[in-house]
Structure formats: structure tokens, C-alpha cells
Amino acid sequence: MKVVFILGPTGVGKSRLAVKLAHENNGQIISSDSVQIYKGFDIGSAKVTKEEMEGVPHHLIDICQPQDYFSVSDFVDATRAKIKEISKAGDLPIVVGGTGLYINSLLGGYNFGGTAKDDNLRAELELLVDRGGVEPLVKMLEDLSPELAKKVDTQNKVRLIRAIEIAKNGTTQMAEGSEYDYKIFALTRQREALYETINARASKMIDEGLIEEVKGLLETGVSRDAQPMRAIGYKEVISYLEGEIDKAQMQQLIAQHSRNYAKRQMTYLRGLAKNYPVDFVDMDSYNQGEKYILEEVKKWLC
């Protein structure tokens, strides 16, 4: 089964390119965004709108309630099923997003062994982070599962804790190669240009009603501790609503945390390229980058 992956940091233009690619190649899009799966989390996740979809089918968006826990293994299972379904229909599956661990897990063929949440272990690991940062957890994961430690963003506390949970309570076998014939494109931009886009996006989200979105979610009973409420954009608005920071600080923090996240995404993608053939495409000239990817996919499909 042929699959195209469009990866890259937040704000680089993945969604727009994926829609164009889908139009030209009878494609359907599978989101690999860990927040867009949740209903009601629209503005802060920059969720693609109906208009932006331009009639292209999009999958794994709005499939969870805010209180649901959606693990990496859930993503892998759901994405595999969608790839099979789309391929069977004669269309091209296009996986789009920036959640690197999701993609790594899909291509690596991890078997998560149905590992359930272990609240006691999570509490212990959170305390370790509070006392000494993530480094003790990184060492623990390396001791438990060197293979998994190479695949996890060790600066992402949530992913790191989940990986330790899996390593202690489940299995992490890696398949011999991938079951897919795939092309991976990682979109890049010069840092200054990307950061300008991210700063503008933070301002636009607030103008479009991010504060009201968070208020509405809280009023309907969504806990501030729900998994998607910890995402960038949502956690800063909660701090603002609870009087911990003012509005200017809130916007500044959203932009700053988004820039930091984009930097981590690029680091993760460079790590992904050590194990898989990743084609990094400069999108500073968007039309040229778009043209290159469209031509490469067309040649590959012939």
C-alpha cells in the first residue's frame, strides 16, 4: 500500500499542501495531530475547516470526546485501518501532521501489547520530573528499552512517561521494515520566517475566539486536566482565566511555547531521518516547494 507523509513544524503549511496533493492524486487525508482528534478543540489546534478541506475527505479529526484518553497505540490502530480502507477504495492515503512519535510508531510497527494506564507509576514519574527534570526519566527509559528510547522525543514529558509505562508493563517489538511503500516529506522554513508565522498565528487565534472556546469547554464540564487541555494554547488561556497571567503574557507565552514546540518538531524529524528516508523540502518559496512535492509524488505513483 502506498502512503504519503506530509510532516513538519506547526505553521509551515502542511494542511494546504496536503489538500492540493489530494486533489491531484485522488487522495484522502489522515490527520496525525494529537489535539485535532478532540471535539471542540478547534481554534487552538488550528483545526482545518470545512472550507479549507475543499471537499477532500479528512480522517481522525473530531473522533474523541475531551475526557477520552487517546494513546499512541490507539493512533496506530486507527491509522492502519484508515490506510487500508482508503487504499481499498483506490485512493491515496496522505498522513499529515507534526506528532513525530505517532509516525515513528506507525512505520516502526510497534506492538504496544494493550498496555493500560498505570496511574501510580505516572504519579511517581511526575514527582521525579518535579525533583530533577526529565533526565532521570530518560536514563530510566534507556535502561528499560534502548530501542524505544531512540524513538521517543525525550524532551516531551508526556511522551516520555508513556514510553516508560509501555516499557515497564508492555512490549515494544519492532517489525522488520514497514508494511507500506511510502514517501516522507518534511516541510521546512527559515527559522525567522517560521517564527513570524507562529507569532501571527498566536494573535489570530485570540482574535478568532480562543479565549471564548476555552471558556465554553470549561463551562460544559471539561476538566482543566483533560489531555487536550494540556496542549499549547489551551493551558495558557486557562492560566489567564485563573488570573495567573494577563492577556499580553498569555499571547506571548502561546507564541513562545509554539516556537519551542516547532524547534522540537524539527529536532524530532531530523532524528526520524536517521531511520527513514525523509525528503526535507524548503517551503520559503511555497510555490516552488509545492511544485517539487507534487512532481515527486506523481513520478512515484507512475
Side-chain angles (χ1 to χ4, degrees):
M1 289 178 284
K2 287 185 177 289
V3 185
V4 174
F5 292 89
I6 302 295
L7 312 180
T10 183
V12 79
K14 299 181 295 292
S15 298
R16 172 182 159 193
L17 173 62
V19 167
K20 183 74 176 289
L21 189 63
H23 275 306
E24 294 205 3
N25 297 281
N26 295 319
Q28 297 188 38
I29 293 171
I30 303 170
S31 170
S32 70
D33 188 283
S34 59
V35 182
Q36 293 187 8
I37 59 172
Y38 291 100
K39 294 179 180 177
F41 287 75
D42 303 331
I43 298 171
S45 70
K47 191 177 292 179
V48 62
T49 65
K50 290 287 185 184
E51 292 76 16
E52 290 167 339
M53 290 180 184
E54 296 182 12
V56 173
H58 283 61
H59 306 280
L60 300 198
I61 292 176
D62 290 339
I63 62 170
C64 293
Q65 297 298 330
Q67 68 274 13
D68 293 342
Y69 178 76
F70 193 82
S71 68
V72 178
S73 56
D74 293 329
F75 166 79
V76 170
D77 290 343
T79 303
R80 282 178 178 159
K82 282 298 175 187
I83 289 174
K84 187 175 181 180
E85 175 187 309
I86 293 167
S87 298
K88 191 174 180 180
D91 290 348
L92 176 67
I94 303 169
V95 181
V96 181
T99 306
L101 182 59
Y102 281 10
I103 305 304
N104 223 338
S105 303
L106 179 67
L107 292 178
Y110 292 130
N111 171 14
F112 289 92
T115 309
K117 284 175 62 178
D118 185 335
D119 291 328
N120 290 333
L121 175 61
R122 288 185 177 204
E124 291 174 7
L125 297 177
E126 290 279 359
L127 283 175
L128 280 177
V129 174
D130 289 342
R131 290 171 184 162
V134 298
E135 291 307 315
L137 272 62
V138 174
K139 181 64 169 63
M140 182 186 297
L141 182 59
E142 288 173 346
D143 291 340
L144 287 166
S145 176
E147 274 193 350
L148 188 53
K150 294 175 184 176
K151 303 294 182 181
V152 172
D153 179 359
T154 53
Q155 297 307 304
N156 185 319
K157 182 183 73 172
V158 174
R159 304 295 183 207
L160 187 57
I161 288 175
R162 177 59 179 162
I164 292 172
E165 191 174 58
I166 291 165
K168 288 180 73 70
N169 300 328
T171 59
T172 55
Q173 282 187 322
M174 247 184 101
E176 291 294 328
S178 174
E179 60 188 294
Y180 305 117
D181 178 10
Y182 58 85
K183 294 281 284 185
I184 304 175
F185 297 98
L187 313 190
T188 68
R189 293 187 68 191
Q190 289 295 317
R191 180 178 296 180
E192 294 77 11
L194 180 63
Y195 283 4
E196 283 181 16
T197 299
I198 289 172
N199 293 341
R201 174 180 279 192
S203 177
K204 182 182 178 185
M205 285 178 175
I206 294 167
D207 291 343
E208 289 181 346
L210 178 58
I211 295 171
E212 290 70 26
E213 179 172 278
V214 176
K215 279 182 181 177
L217 289 165
L218 293 170
E219 287 169 0
T220 59
V222 177
S223 169
R224 62 165 291 165
D225 296 320
Q227 188 172 345
M229 279 293 199
R230 301 172 191 164
I232 295 169
Y234 295 95
K235 61 184 179 182
E236 293 85 359
V237 171
I238 288 174
S239 293
Y240 164 67
L241 292 174
E242 294 183 348
E244 297 172 2
I245 55 177
D246 61 30
K247 191 172 181 179
Q249 289 173 312
M250 175 194 69
Q251 180 174 327
Q252 181 182 10
L253 284 174
I254 291 173
Q256 178 187 326
H257 293 160
S258 296
R259 294 193 302 269
N260 293 343
Y261 180 56
K263 184 178 179 180
R264 290 196 300 272
Q265 285 176 305
M266 287 307 304
T267 300
Y268 200 96
L269 287 171
R270 286 191 286 270
L272 187 74
K274 295 177 182 177
N275 298 306
Y276 303 99
V278 178
D279 191 349
F280 287 88
V281 181
D282 184 355
M283 301 300 287
D284 279 313
S285 175
Y286 193 92
N287 291 335
Q288 288 183 16
E290 178 185 86
K291 181 181 178 183
Y292 169 78
I293 292 173
L294 293 174
E295 289 176 349
E296 286 297 301
V297 170
K298 200 166 288 292
K299 286 189 291 185
W300 176 63
L301 291 174
C302 288

